């Protein structure tokens, strides 16, 4: 009786078909000793002389042929490498383009991101569940076959041993016939698993010496297909039964199987009996189940992807439609509305969006109408005031010229009337200019102009004002000319406004004007060292009619529209007008223009916050020292404007956050 069933670990890396023949194999290689050995392996003395000469010639040319073949192999390798490189050069750009397209699609499409995420999670989940199910099915099939194999092996081994024990044969042919018939009967049994056997005498047996059967196997198998660990376990055990999974050759293919080993005795000789059970049917069943799982999983993933696409499309489409309508509303198409269908949450969102759009359209229309009325009113009033103002101005000039003949009170009244009429006329001119900007009729008359000469012209025009305030003006600019495509009249107005403001608020201290350019832009800075500006004042320096004085005392400054007009002129040039200030230190205004009309400014050549050092490579093109020489002059190291450095830039026409104003900057 068999007392134990034990498993032998499956050998690693063993190929039964390549294993050496066992000691009892029928295909053992034989020696070549015999009468034909010399004919099979001729010696040199048996070779004819002419054959020897031909052999010598062939050996002599062998190195040359080897070199030729090496060279040919090298050429072929280089050509193959070139073809591979060419293919990679064509494939990699396509892969990079595909990856960039997927990345851009991932960032911009919520529907694509949702569907792809759902598919990836579904594939991962199916892979985990499929692997688990496949493993469980495979284990169950194997355990079922193993249990059946163990049961049938016990029965068949007992039948074989009983047959051997009851045999009464003494001659060789009878023994061979008995063993052959008994093993064939074992091979033919079994209704589900097809059995094969390997019958091998245990090695190193000395008794009895007259055994007539060494080994037998079915289907031309040999003991080499049996795993070595299984043989060792069977040989070292008593009557225990062991098994191991294996592969064995059947024709030209290898099939999975289970080998169950036992010991049997016959005529005093101990034999190893291995019954091999074919698992090819179970493997085919497992493959079919796995194919069904793969096909079902692929169909399920496609269905999940379609469902995710349909669901996300129903949710994302209204959102995309709302985004398109919002963009149209932002572009001024106030009549655009969303299409509302149904009564669900998306429909309520669309209805609310349409209500909001209608309300915004009504308010914007009202504001636009009011703005147009205000602009028309300002324009009409400005035009209507020109004629009476001209008459009043002529009368004021007559009185002003004759003021010396008046008494002191009337003389002072004539001077006040003349000055206020001049101020009123300046305000009226600014209002007319602002109305042109509001009406959108301001046109740019650009032509190539040297901006350095334009700055010099502005400084010459401001010389009397600088002399009145006692301020010195210096120009720090590179040698040569800087030609810019611009409207010289408008840029002249901007620079004149900045320079006059700097002189007015500079408290008699020097005013430094700097000019510099780079590859795309030119910049002009006007730096004063007067009372400066605070951050609170910086936020409103370019607003219309704004004054830093809370009491709005108009003891200094002009109409309050100068910087606003300068900002509009800068916008027409697609430039920047920015300001910086510090209380008690002064202020710095920077005008940046593109060298060519339609160009883009990426960085200003001059920094906004001055460092009070001269520009690298710049020279004093023009130095105007105006007023009293004893007035505070230009301190050493403070001439010009600081060298360019990286600064925050603002879009065209916007004002930098550093800007500030002091008093009224007109």
């Amino acid at each position: 009786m068999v007392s134990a069933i034990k498993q032998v670990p499956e050998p690693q890396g063993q190929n039964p078909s390549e294993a050496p023949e066992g000691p009892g194999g029928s295909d053992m290689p034989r020696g070549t000793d015999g009468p034909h050995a010399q004919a099979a392996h001729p010696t040199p003395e048996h070779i004819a002389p002419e054959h020897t000469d031909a052999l010598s010639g062939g050996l002599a040319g062998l190195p040359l042929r080897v070199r030729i073949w090496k060279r040919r192999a090298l050429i072929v390798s280089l050509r193959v490498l070139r073809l591979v490189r060419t293919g990679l050069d064509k494939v990699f750009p396509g892969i990079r383009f595909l990856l960039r397209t997927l990345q851009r699609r991932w960032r911009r499409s919520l529907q694509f991101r949702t569907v792809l995420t759902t598919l990836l999670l579904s594939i991962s989940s199916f892979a985990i569940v499929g692997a688990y199910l496949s493993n469980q099915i495979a284990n169950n099939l194997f355990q079922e076959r193993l249990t059946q194999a163990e049961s049938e092996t016990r029965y068949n081994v007992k039948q074989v041993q009983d047959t051997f024990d009851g045999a009464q044969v003494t001659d060789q042919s009878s023994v061979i016939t008995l063993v052959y018939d008994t093993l064939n009967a074992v091979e033919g049994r079994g209704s589900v698993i097809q059995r094969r056997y390997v019958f091998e005498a245990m090695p190193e047996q000395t008794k009895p010496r007259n055994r007539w059967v060494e080994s037998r196997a079915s289907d031309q198998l040999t003991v080499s297909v049996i795993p070595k660990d299984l043989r060792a376990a069977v040989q070292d055990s008593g009557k225990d039964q062991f098994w191991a999974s294996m592969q064995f050759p059947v024709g030209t293919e290898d099939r999975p199987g289970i080998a169950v080993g036992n010991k049997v005795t016959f005529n005093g000789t101990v034999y190893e009996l291995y019954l091999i059970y074919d698992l090819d049917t179970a493997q085919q069943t497992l493959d079919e189940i796995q194919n069904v799982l793969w096909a079902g999983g692929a169909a399920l993933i496609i269905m999940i992807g379609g469902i995710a696409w349909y669901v996300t499309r129903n949710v994302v489409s209204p959102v995309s439609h709302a985004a398109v309508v919002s963009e149209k509303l932002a572009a001024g198409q106030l009549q655009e509305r969303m299409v509302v269908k149904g009564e669900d949450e998306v429909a309520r969102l669309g209805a609310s969006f349409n209500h909001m759009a209608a309300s915004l359209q009504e308010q914007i229309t009202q504001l636009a109408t009011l703005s147009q009325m205000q602009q028309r009113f300002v324009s009409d009033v400005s035009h209507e005031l020109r004629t009476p103002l001209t008459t009043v101005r002529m009368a004021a000039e007559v009185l002003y010229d004759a003021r010396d003949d008046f008494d002191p009170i009337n003389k002072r009244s004539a001077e006040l009337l003349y000055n206020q009429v001049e101020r009123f006329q300046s305000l009226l001119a600014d209002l007319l200019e602002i109305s042109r900007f509001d009406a959108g009729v301001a046109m740019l008359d650009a032509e190539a102009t040297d901006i350095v000469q334009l700055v010099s012209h502005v400084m010459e025009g401001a010389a009397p004002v600088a002399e009145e305030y006692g301020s010195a003006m210096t120009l720090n600019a590179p040698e040569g000319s800087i030609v810019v495509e611009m409207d010289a009249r408008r840029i002249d107005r901007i620079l004149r406004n900045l320079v006059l403001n700097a002189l007015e608020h500079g408290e008699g201290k020097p005013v430094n004007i700097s000019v510099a350019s780079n590859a795309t832009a030119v910049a002009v800075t006007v730096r004063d060292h007067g009372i400066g500006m605070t951050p609170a004042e910086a936020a409103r320096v370019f607003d219309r009619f704004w004054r830093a004085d809370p009491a709005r005392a108009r003891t200094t400054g002009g109409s309050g529209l100068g910087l606003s007009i300068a900002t509009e002129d800068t916008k027409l040039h697609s430039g920047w007008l920015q300001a910086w200030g510090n209380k008690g230190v002064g202020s710095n205004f920077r005008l940046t223009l593109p060298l060519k009309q339609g160009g883009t400014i990426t960085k200003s050549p001059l920094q906004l916050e001055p460092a009070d050092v001269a520009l690298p490579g710049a020279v004093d093109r023009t130095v105007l020292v105006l007023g009293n020489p004893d007035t505070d002059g230009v301190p050493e190291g403070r001439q010009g404007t600081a060298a360019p450095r990286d600064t925050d830039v603002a879009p065209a026409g916007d004002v930098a956050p550093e800007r500030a104003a002091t008093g009224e900057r007109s």
Side-chain angles (χ1 to χ4, degrees):
M1 292 292 294
V2 178
S3 60
I5 299 295
K6 300 180 181 180
Q7 178 185 4
V8 178
E10 184 177 358
Q12 302 293 329
Q14 178 179 357
N15 189 351
S17 62
E18 297 180 359
E21 296 291 338
S26 59
D27 295 333
M28 285 286 291
R30 302 298 181 183
T32 55
D33 298 337
H36 301 288
Q38 186 173 4
H41 301 283
T43 55
E45 56 269 18
H46 295 96
I47 301 175
E50 56 274 14
H51 293 168
T52 305
D53 295 340
L55 181 61
S56 300
L59 292 176
L62 184 61
L64 177 61
R65 288 196 293 271
V66 170
R67 289 196 299 271
I68 293 174
W69 281 107
K70 286 184 177 179
R71 186 172 182 180
R72 291 179 178 176
L74 179 61
I75 293 173
V76 172
S77 301
L78 292 176
R79 291 180 178 176
V80 171
L81 290 176
R82 189 180 297 111
L83 291 175
V84 171
R85 181 178 178 181
T86 303
L88 293 178
D89 291 340
K90 293 182 178 180
V91 170
F92 282 163
I95 296 176
R96 286 194 297 268
F97 175 77
L98 179 61
L99 292 177
R100 286 195 299 266
T101 303
L102 291 176
Q103 185 179 9
R104 183 169 58 253
R105 187 73 173 172
W106 175 272
R107 293 196 311 266
R108 297 182 177 180
S109 176
L110 176 62
Q111 183 178 2
F112 177 78
R113 189 161 60 246
T114 302
V115 173
L116 185 59
T117 303
T118 304
L119 288 178
L120 292 177
L121 294 177
S122 301
I123 292 173
S124 301
S125 302
F126 177 76
I128 295 173
V129 175
Y132 174 77
L133 292 177
S134 178
N135 184 62
Q136 290 297 317
I137 293 172
N139 289 335
N140 292 336
L141 288 176
F142 182 80
Q143 290 298 329
E144 180 184 357
R145 299 299 189 269
L146 177 61
T147 301
Q148 187 174 3
E150 290 175 345
S151 176
E152 291 192 5
T153 300
R154 292 192 192 97
Y155 176 79
N156 285 281
V157 169
K158 183 178 181 302
Q159 293 294 327
V160 170
Q161 188 63 58
D162 292 342
T163 302
F164 287 165
D165 291 342
Q168 300 294 330
V169 290
T170 55
D171 60 301
Q172 180 178 1
S173 62
S174 299
V175 169
I176 294 175
T177 301
L178 176 65
V179 171
Y180 180 76
D181 293 339
T182 303
L183 294 178
N184 284 344
V186 171
E187 183 181 21
R189 297 174 185 174
S191 59
V192 178
I193 301 178
Q194 185 179 1
R195 275 190 307 273
R196 292 171 177 79
Y197 67 88
V198 174
F199 187 71
E200 182 76 16
M202 288 187 59
E204 301 179 359
Q205 293 188 77
T206 58
K207 292 182 180 180
R209 297 180 180 274
N210 58 345
R211 64 174 179 266
W212 293 300
V213 178
E214 289 289 340
S215 64
R216 290 195 67 85
S218 61
D219 291 343
Q220 299 180 352
L221 296 177
T222 62
V223 75
S224 61
V225 302
I226 305 301
K228 294 181 179 179
D229 295 336
L230 178 59
R231 291 200 62 192
V234 172
Q235 292 172 2
D236 296 339
S237 67
K239 293 185 178 181
D240 296 334
Q241 180 172 284
F242 296 89
W243 68 271
S245 58
M246 56 171 293
Q247 284 187 339
F248 62 96
V250 177
T252 58
E253 62 177 352
D254 291 338
R255 292 186 180 181
I258 299 176
V260 184
N262 290 270
K263 284 182 180 179
V264 295
T265 58
F266 181 49
N267 286 342
T269 302
V270 181
Y271 291 90
E272 304 169 27
L273 177 59
Y274 301 97
L275 297 184
I276 301 173
Y277 295 85
D278 193 350
L279 298 182
D280 185 63
T281 304
Q283 184 64 44
Q284 292 179 1
T285 303
L286 181 61
D287 292 341
E288 292 178 358
I289 294 175
Q290 290 179 344
N291 292 334
V292 171
L293 289 176
W294 280 110
L300 183 62
I301 289 173
I302 293 174
M303 293 175 60
I304 292 175
I307 294 172
W309 177 83
Y310 178 76
V311 173
T312 55
R313 179 176 176 272
N314 290 336
V315 176
V316 173
S317 294
V319 178
S320 302
H321 182 53
V324 173
V325 174
S326 300
E327 293 175 355
K328 292 182 178 179
L329 289 174
Q333 302 178 18
L334 301 180
Q335 73 283 356
E336 288 292 330
R337 296 293 184 269
M338 289 185 61
V339 178
V340 179
K341 296 180 180 179
E343 300 178 356
D344 55 7
E345 293 81 0
V346 177
R348 291 197 297 271
L349 173 63
S352 301
F353 185 90
N354 291 339
H355 178 70
M356 178 190 67
S359 177
L360 289 176
Q361 181 182 10
E362 182 180 358
Q363 296 180 16
I364 291 174
T365 302
Q366 293 177 357
L367 292 175
T369 304
L370 179 61
S371 177
Q372 291 176 1
M373 293 176 59
Q374 291 177 346
Q375 293 174 8
R376 186 179 300 111
F377 174 77
V378 172
S379 178
D380 294 342
V381 170
S382 300
H383 283 85
E384 292 297 330
L385 287 177
R386 293 179 66 181
T387 301
L389 181 61
T390 303
T391 304
V392 173
R393 184 173 181 273
M394 293 175 61
E397 289 178 352
V398 172
L399 294 176
Y400 183 78
D401 293 338
R403 68 184 183 281
D404 293 335
D405 300 333
F406 300 158
D407 57 83
I409 296 178
N410 292 329
K411 180 180 179 180
R412 178 58 180 166
S413 299
E415 292 175 350
L416 291 176
L417 177 62
Y418 177 78
N419 292 331
Q420 292 304 318
V421 168
E422 289 288 336
R423 185 184 184 91
F424 190 18
Q425 188 174 16
S426 176
L427 174 60
L428 185 59
D430 290 341
L431 286 174
L432 288 173
E433 188 66 25
I434 284 292
S435 65
R436 293 190 187 97
F437 285 116
D438 291 339
V441 296
M443 302 298 294
L444 192 65
D445 185 14
E447 59 181 9
T449 307
D450 184 5
I451 195 171
V452 178
Q453 293 183 0
L454 184 62
V455 173
S456 301
H457 176 72
V458 171
M459 293 177 66
E460 293 175 359
V465 180
E467 184 176 2
E468 178 182 354
Y469 285 103
S471 297
M473 293 188 300
T474 59
L475 174 61
N476 191 23
E479 295 182 350
S481 61
I482 303 177
V483 179
V484 185
E485 291 184 1
M486 61 182 180
D487 190 334
R489 181 182 64 86
R490 296 183 183 276
I491 300 301
D492 179 271
R493 181 166 58 189
I494 295 173
L495 296 176
R496 185 172 64 253
N497 186 282
L498 297 180
V499 171
L500 292 177
N501 280 343
L503 293 173
E504 183 178 347
H505 300 87
E507 297 182 328
K509 296 180 181 180
V511 174
N512 308 116
I513 304 172
S514 302
V515 183
S517 64
N518 56 22
T520 59
V522 63
V524 180
T525 59
V526 180
R527 169 81 160 99
D528 67 74
H529 303 81
I531 58 178
M533 299 178 284
T534 63
E537 297 166 344
R540 304 188 59 188
V541 66
F542 293 102
D543 293 346
R544 298 180 182 181
F545 300 107
W546 180 83
R547 295 173 59 87
D549 185 5
R552 301 187 64 85
R554 294 190 176 272
T555 57
T556 60
S559 63
L561 294 173
L563 290 179
S564 299
I565 295 174
T567 302
E568 297 295 336
D569 287 333
T570 305
K571 288 181 179 179
L572 288 177
H573 288 81
S574 300
W576 303 339
L577 181 58
Q578 300 162 287
W580 168 90
N582 195 0
K583 205 68 173 178
V585 177
S587 59
N588 186 44
F589 283 79
R590 181 179 67 183
L591 172 65
T592 307
L593 301 173
L595 292 177
K596 303 290 185 180
Q597 280 299 310
T600 302
I601 304 174
T602 57
K603 182 179 179 182
S604 180
L606 294 176
Q607 65 184 35
L608 182 60
E609 182 178 355
D612 293 329
V613 295
L615 294 173
V619 297
D620 293 336
R621 290 282 302 273
T622 305
V623 179
L624 299 177
V625 181
L626 306 171
N628 190 353
D630 296 334
T631 307
D632 292 338
V634 182
E636 183 179 357
R638 298 185 64 174
Q639 184 172 0
T641 309
R645 70 177 184 179
D646 292 336
T647 58
D648 295 333
V649 296
D654 289 351
V655 181
E658 299 91 342
R659 70 180 188 178
T662 301
E664 179 186 12
R665 299 220 173 230
S666 60

